[in-house]
């Protein structure tokens, strides 16, 4: 394999984009603190000039690094949801976000530094030189935090696979308990069905569509005003029922096969006229455990 093809394959490799605001705040805070402490302790590059305002200057850089990192992680994902969809995220996109983020934050830091240099008669740095310093300081902590995040996600997936296996082995549901009643969000309406007849559930705006197998084998759709999150919680004791995607809950008893790759798996069923998408929070190992 040529080097160009290897790099291309590596850049297109799936990568988990954590959409959690809490995670983005944590990454931004750690980045800002690392920048502050690194500059304050080691005084690299030209910082030995800042004797009088050194603490003030490094604190300012740390705060800008924190705010800038959070804005880069939060705002674009809010505006361009399809691009930042976790099911489509890759190593290349993550690398591009890092480079763009460091460049933008570095630009603000350069402007911030220029405000101090004029009144204190300090050495002025060219924009490109300053950006190169920013990359040297920022890329190590960001790469480390991203590595830790990927490691944590991988461990959670492995635990989930083990959890599915244990759940199947330990939970036994009686026939009486398999008769399920789901109430609407306002508790004024409800639907009831046998859990072994439920094929899948999908969301449509504020409504959920339940597809239930009739005696003749056909599917009947029942609609209820309810969120998938609450429905998922109501059905959590049934080990064959999983929330495989933000828009789908499926009964794995009717899943016949898994297709796709780490960039996006799909569940196949003879009773469902399409392939059901799977969130990238599921590993293939955990999905395969569902079919056993």
């Amino acid at each position: 394999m040529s080097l160009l093809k290897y790099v291309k394959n590596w850049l297109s490799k799936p990568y988990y984009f954590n959409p959690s605001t809490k995670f983005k705040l944590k990454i931004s805070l750690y980045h800002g603190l690392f920048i502050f402490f690194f500059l304050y302790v080691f005084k690299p590059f030209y910082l030995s000039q800042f004797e009088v305002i050194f603490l003030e200057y490094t604190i300012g850089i740390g705060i800008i690094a924190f705010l800038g990192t959070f804005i880069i992680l939060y705002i674009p994902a809010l505006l361009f949801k399809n691009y930042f969809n976790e099911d489509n995220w890759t190593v290349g996109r993550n690398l591009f976000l890092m480079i763009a983020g460091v460049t933008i934050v570095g630009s603000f830091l350069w402007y911030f530094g220029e405000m101090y240099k004029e009144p204190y008669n300090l050495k002025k740095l060219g924009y490109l030189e300053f950006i190169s310093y920013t990359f040297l300081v920022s890329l190590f902590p960001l790469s480390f935090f991203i590595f830790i995040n990927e490691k944590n996600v991988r461990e959670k997936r492995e635990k989930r696979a083990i959890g599915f296996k244990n759940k199947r082995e330990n939970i036994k549901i009686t026939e009486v308990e398999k008769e399920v009643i789901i109430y609407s969000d306002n508790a004024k309406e409800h639907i009831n069905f046998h859990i072994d007849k439920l094929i899948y559930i999908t969301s449509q705006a504020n409504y959920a569509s339940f597809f239930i197998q009739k005696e003749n084998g056909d599917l009947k759709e029942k609609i209820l005003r309810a969120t998938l999150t609450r429905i998922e919680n109501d059905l959590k004791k049934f080990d064959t029922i999983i929330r495989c995607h933000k828009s789908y809950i499926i009964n794995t008893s009717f899943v016949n096969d898994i297709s796709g790759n780490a960039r996006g798996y799909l569940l196949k069923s003879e009773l469902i006229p399409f392939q059901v998408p799977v969130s990238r929070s599921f590993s293939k190992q955990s999905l395969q455990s569902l079919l056993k």
Side-chain angles (χ1 to χ4, degrees), residues 111-130:
Y111 180 76
F112 173 76
E114 291 300 301
M115 293 191 306
Y116 278 89
K117 291 169 187 175
E118 189 69 37
Y120 290 93
N121 196 29
L122 299 171
K123 175 186 175 183
K124 291 189 176 183
L125 290 179
Y127 174 74
L128 293 180
E129 184 180 4
F130 186 89

Side-chain angles (χ1 to χ4, degrees), residues 46-259:
Y46 60 96
L47 292 182
S48 57
Q49 302 177 51
F50 289 71
E51 295 181 1
V52 179
I53 56 167
F54 181 67
L55 179 61
E56 176 187 347
Y57 181 73
T58 51
I59 288 176
I61 286 181
I63 292 174
I64 292 174
F66 161 69
L67 294 175
T69 303
F70 180 72
I71 290 171
I72 294 299
L73 291 175
Y74 185 77
I75 300 298
L78 201 62
L79 297 177
F80 307 102
K81 293 182 180 179
N82 289 334
Y83 183 81
F84 284 87
N85 188 308
E86 61 182 279
D87 293 332
N88 300 323
W89 199 247
T90 62
V91 170
R93 291 190 179 191
N94 203 71
L95 185 61
F96 174 76
L97 181 64
M98 284 179 60
I99 294 173
V102 172
T103 302
I104 293 171
V105 172
S107 299
F108 279 104
L109 290 174
W110 178 77
Y111 180 76
F112 173 76
E114 291 300 301
M115 293 191 306
Y116 278 89
K117 291 169 187 175
E118 189 69 37
Y120 290 93
N121 196 29
L122 299 171
K123 175 186 175 183
K124 291 189 176 183
L125 290 179
Y127 174 74
L128 293 180
E129 184 180 4
F130 186 89
I131 291 297
S132 66
Y133 291 158
T134 305
F135 269 90
L136 287 174
V137 176
S138 293
L139 287 183
F140 172 74
L142 288 178
S143 301
F144 175 75
F145 296 143
I146 289 171
F147 169 78
I148 293 298
N149 174 56
E150 187 68 11
K151 179 176 179 292
N152 290 337
V153 170
R154 185 174 65 254
E155 290 176 349
K156 286 180 180 179
R157 286 175 172 177
E158 292 172 354
K159 288 180 180 179
R160 173 176 285 190
I162 295 173
F164 280 135
K165 182 178 180 181
N166 292 339
K167 191 175 180 183
R168 286 178 176 272
E169 292 176 350
N170 298 330
I171 296 179
K172 294 182 179 179
I173 308 295
T174 66
E175 282 301 314
V176 173
E177 292 175 311
K178 289 185 177 182
E179 292 294 337
V180 180
I181 299 178
I182 302 290
Y183 288 91
S184 63
D185 288 341
N186 59 16
K188 293 182 179 179
E189 299 175 336
H190 72 274
I191 64 172
N192 60 284
F193 53 87
H194 192 284
I195 196 64
D196 291 341
K197 296 295 182 180
L198 175 66
I199 309 302
Y200 72 99
I201 308 169
T202 185
S203 63
Q204 299 177 2
N206 296 324
Y207 292 85
S209 292
F210 295 73
F211 290 85
I212 300 165
Q213 189 177 37
K214 298 190 294 185
E215 292 299 325
N216 63 2
D218 293 337
L219 296 187
K220 179 179 181 181
E221 180 181 9
K222 293 185 178 181
I223 299 176
L224 191 69
R225 188 181 181 89
T227 64
L228 283 189
T229 299
R230 192 175 62 75
I231 295 170
E232 177 188 17
N233 187 61
D234 290 344
L235 300 177
K236 65 182 180 181
K237 69 178 179 180
F238 300 107
D239 64 303
T240 61
I241 308 298
I242 65 162
R243 177 85 173 268
C244 63
H245 187 271
K246 61 183 178 182
S247 300
Y248 290 93
I249 292 174
I250 192 168
N251 188 341
T252 58
S253 298
F254 298 98
V255 174
N256 307 114
D257 195 12
I258 302 169
S259 64

